[in-house]
Structure formats: structure tokens, C-alpha cells
Amino acid sequence: MAIVSVEAIPVRVGVKPLEEEYGLAPYRSNHDAVKERDRMLIRIETDEGIVGWGEMLVAMTSPEATKAIVDHVIAPELIGREVENIREFIDSFYFPYTRIHPYLGAVEMAMWDVLGKQLNTSLSTLLGGRVEDEVPVAYCLGMLDSERSKEHARFAVEAGFRALKTKAGPDWRGDVERIRTMYEAVDGELDFRLDPNQGWSFEEAVRAGAMLEDAGVYLQYLEQPCRIDTYGTYEKLRNRLRTPLAVNEDTYFERNFSHLLRQDAVDVGVIDLIPAGGLLRAQDLAANAAESGVSLSHHCGFDLGIKTAAMLHLVATTPAINLPPDSVYYAWDEYLLEDSLELSDGAYPVPTGPGLGISVDEEMVERLRVDA
């Protein structure tokens, strides 16, 4: 069964405002405030009329640039190929000066979707079989004042979540106070994750972590506090803090992550199947982490239902991903699936249908499409 068409479709979807139940907008980090998000959908079709879907971020905020890579670099190599030759296709690209992984990750997702539909088999089965039928996720929260953060922490507990991830910014003392306030508000019923997105210096990370420890607040992990090019930082941080250290952006570069594993510098990796280059390469990262005794979670970059479904299949079939993945799927204004994924007690069921197990609403896709 050969692939006959590849289409990159940019869409823009709004995020529910904070005042609504499960609303998060504006979702503030140290580099932006999200009220809506552009995403790139990948639609492939075979000579038998089977359609598969993938999803990725819009690279460098440019739908035009992202679509151009898919149209002019990926599609010419994919059209005419047999859909089951996934590993061969992914490994066939070599561009030493350009990072192609995210584009391949989205296209690989669509190939798995087609293959599962052809074989009438779920992606979980193709990946080796699931070990769980539902996946608990972490509630995600942008930077708010302490009072509003406290309210969201209480809501997260009531909704059944067991972990809460919040962003951090230039005011690390304020971040420490927010975490302390939330921790006290829920009487320790939530595990907290703090993510400065590489925004802290080594000194700030040490002081913030130590202040939380002194207050009796032990994070599930402190995620990527320092830049990925500050070599040796995480080894030093791990010697100074009891707080588990996680890296996210470092896992997007497999050699960075491998180095940190060899140096015994981190406790957690927050991987993402798109920058990893697809599901197969995400499983490779998971195997390396498991061999080093490092825990794993999965990142969320404001993922729509297509990528969220793929993430659920990956987590359900990969025991090395032993911490709840991040998710903001519940916060979208609209859903691109005919039947949206249903959150229950802080967890999503793993789709059971063929391929990704979801049906994309193509009329809604057209309504949300943006120019490229």
C-alpha cells in the first residue's frame, strides 16, 4: 500500500480563558502568554484511500516555513513509498546542518495511523501492546499570582489530578512563594513540578530549590532550570540539591541526553515524541533512560487531539515513562476530533480503535485552517 499524497494543514485553535472550568488562558511562561496556538496537521493518503493523521508544532511561529519543509523536503521522499516501511523512511534522512526530527515525527505518526487502519489494529498493539488502559496526566498551570494559583491547585485535586506543573519566570522568589502557597492549600495532596524553561542561572536554581526544601516542599522535579548549553550545570546542581532534576529541551538532542545519563546528572527526562523524531525514536530514548535508572514523563506543547492520542499510545506501551505526562488538552476552545478525548479523574483512556483510534473532523479542520 503506497502513499499518494501528503498535505500540511496549519490550524489555529483558541484556549479557554482562566475564568472557565479547565481554562488556562492566558497561559504565561517566561517567554510568552498563550491565548491561542497554531499547530500543523499532517494528512497522508494511500492508493487504497486510507487517510492517516499526524500533528506537530508550527516551527519558529511560521506556518509558511513549516509547511514548506513538509511540502518540499518530506513529501517528495514519502510519496510512492510503502506505508509499512516506517523505520527505513525515518532513517533515510540526513541533513547535518538542519534539524529535521520534528517534521519526521509528525509524518511518522500519520504513517502509523494508516498502518493501523490498514491492519485494523490499534497503535498500542503495533507498539508491542499496552500495559495500562488509561493514562493519568499532570495538570498544567501558567504563572499566576499566589491567590489564583491556590484556587487552581484546589481545583486540580478536586478533579482527580495527582500532579501539577507550573511555569517559572525571572522572579524566582515569587515562584517559590507560589509553590509554597499551593502546597499548603492542598495539604500536600499534589506533587508539584516547576519549569523555568531554561530561564534561571545556576545560582538562582540552587537558591530556589534550597528554599523549597527548607520549607518542606519537595518537588516531583525541577524541570530544565538552566540553559542546555551550560555544560556541567546539572552535575553541579545534583550535588547541591535533594530536589530531583529533570531536563526537557536537552532530550530534544539525543547526544545531550545521552551525555547527561552518562554523567548521572539528572533524575528525570521529559521527552516529546515530535522533537524526538517519532514514536520509534521516543521509545529509543525511553530504553536509554530506563537502562540508566532515570524516570520519564512526556512533554505537552499545547497538543491537539491527534498528538495527544499518539502520546497516550506511547505512554501506555512504554513502562519506562513512569511519571504522568503533561497535558493541556482539556483547555482547548474546540476539538478537532469527532469524539473528543474524555478526561475522568485526572486521566485519559487510551483509544482502542484502529491506528490512533480517533476520527478527525475534517470540516472543523477546514474552518480552523489558517493561510500559509
Side-chain angles (χ1 to χ4, degrees), residues 1 12 15-16 24 47 55 60 66 78-79 91 161 173 194 246 270 276 349 354 360:
M1 183 172 62
R12 179 171 299 148
V15 180
K16 293 177 185 176
L24 294 177
D47 53 6
E55 178 193 333
M60 297 175 289
T66 308
L78 185 59
I79 291 174
D91 290 346
F161 293 92
R173 291 179 179 84
L194 187 59
V270 185
V360 174

Side-chain angles (χ1 to χ4, degrees), residues 261-306:
L261 294 177
R262 288 195 303 270
Q263 297 299 115
D264 195 25
V266 294
D267 304 280
V268 179
V270 185
I271 65 172
D272 190 311
L273 67 93
I274 290 298
L279 292 143
L280 292 174
R281 286 179 169 165
Q283 286 192 323
D284 292 343
L285 289 177
N288 291 337
E291 189 173 292
S292 299
V294 168
S295 293
L296 290 179
S297 179
H298 193 282
H299 172 255
C300 177
F302 278 88
D303 305 331
L304 299 170
I306 298 168

Side-chain angles (χ1 to χ4, degrees), residues 68-122:
I69 294 294
V70 176
D71 290 347
H72 300 295
V73 179
I74 305 291
E77 296 297 322
L78 185 59
I79 291 174
R81 285 186 182 253
E82 297 297 314
V83 71
E84 64 267 23
N85 296 328
I86 296 175
R87 174 70 81 171
E88 178 189 15
F89 172 70
I90 296 301
D91 290 346
S92 67
F93 286 84
Y94 177 67
F95 298 109
Y97 301 112
T98 304
R99 185 163 175 76
I100 197 75
H101 288 61
Y103 306 91
L104 295 177
V107 172
E108 187 227 44
M109 187 190 306
M111 294 175 75
W112 282 113
D113 192 28
V114 167
L115 183 60
K117 290 172 179 174
Q118 179 196 25
L119 300 175
N120 195 31
T121 301
S122 76

Side-chain angles (χ1 to χ4, degrees), residues 36-266:
E36 60 185 13
R37 182 65 92 192
D38 290 352
R39 301 288 291 177
M40 186 66 71
L41 309 184
I42 305 297
R43 184 185 187 277
I44 67 174
E45 188 169 351
T46 71
D47 53 6
E48 296 181 10
I50 300 177
V51 172
W53 291 89
E55 178 193 333
M56 65 176 290
L57 77 168
V58 170
M60 297 175 289
T61 70
S62 172
E64 296 85 354
T66 308
K67 182 173 171 58
I69 294 294
V70 176
D71 290 347
H72 300 295
V73 179
I74 305 291
E77 296 297 322
L78 185 59
I79 291 174
R81 285 186 182 253
E82 297 297 314
V83 71
E84 64 267 23
N85 296 328
I86 296 175
R87 174 70 81 171
E88 178 189 15
F89 172 70
I90 296 301
D91 290 346
S92 67
F93 286 84
Y94 177 67
F95 298 109
Y97 301 112
T98 304
R99 185 163 175 76
I100 197 75
H101 288 61
Y103 306 91
L104 295 177
V107 172
E108 187 227 44
M109 187 190 306
M111 294 175 75
W112 282 113
D113 192 28
V114 167
L115 183 60
K117 290 172 179 174
Q118 179 196 25
L119 300 175
N120 195 31
T121 301
S122 76
L123 176 56
S124 298
T125 300
L126 295 176
L127 293 177
R130 70 184 67 184
V131 295
E132 53 188 340
D133 293 323
E134 63 176 21
V135 175
V137 297
Y139 185 78
C140 294
L141 186 65
M143 293 187 294
L144 300 171
D145 60 53
S146 291
E147 191 62 31
R148 296 184 79 185
S149 296
K150 180 170 64 175
E151 294 171 3
H152 279 267
R154 287 173 175 160
F155 171 77
V157 170
E158 293 168 1
F161 293 92
R162 292 294 174 262
L164 184 151
K165 173 178 173 176
T166 187
K167 293 295 185 178
D171 179 16
W172 64 268
R173 291 179 179 84
D175 297 324
V176 168
E177 181 58 30
R178 278 192 300 118
I179 292 286
R180 288 177 57 183
T181 299
M182 287 192 286
Y183 181 84
E184 291 168 1
V186 299
D187 197 25
E189 290 189 57
L190 283 172
D191 288 324
F192 288 95
R193 307 169 176 180
L194 187 59
D195 180 14
N197 286 111
Q198 306 183 63
W200 287 351
S201 66
F202 171 78
E203 173 264 342
E204 290 168 335
V206 170
R207 296 177 72 185
M211 286 181 69
L212 285 169
E213 292 171 1
D214 290 345
V217 180
Y218 292 90
L219 300 175
Q220 188 174 69
Y221 54 76
L222 175 59
E223 180 180 330
Q224 199 79 54
C226 303
R227 291 172 58 97
I228 64 173
D229 55 1
T230 52
Y231 302 109
T233 295
Y234 287 94
E235 294 97 315
K236 292 190 293 183
L237 274 177
R238 202 157 186 242
N239 288 329
R240 296 287 294 274
L241 296 174
R242 289 173 288 176
T243 299
L245 296 175
V247 287
N248 169 224
E249 289 90 344
D250 265 303
T251 70
Y252 301 172
F253 303 89
E254 57 192 43
R255 289 177 177 80
N256 285 33
F257 193 40
S258 296
H259 169 78
L260 291 168
L261 294 177
R262 288 195 303 270
Q263 297 299 115
D264 195 25
V266 294

Side-chain angles (χ1 to χ4, degrees), residues 335-341 358-364:
Y335 298 96
L336 296 180
L337 307 184
E338 293 180 358
D339 296 303
S340 62
L341 303 170
I358 55 171
S359 296
V360 174
D361 186 336
E362 296 203 40
E363 290 185 3
M364 184 173 290

Side-chain angles (χ1 to χ4, degrees), residues 304-335:
L304 299 170
I306 298 168
K307 185 187 168 191
T308 299
M311 178 275 291
L312 293 172
H313 285 287
L314 174 66
V315 174
T317 57
T318 311
I321 306 176
N322 59 334
L323 297 174
D326 299 330
S327 179
V328 298
Y329 178 74
Y330 46 79
W332 289 112
D333 267 341
E334 300 181 87
Y335 298 96

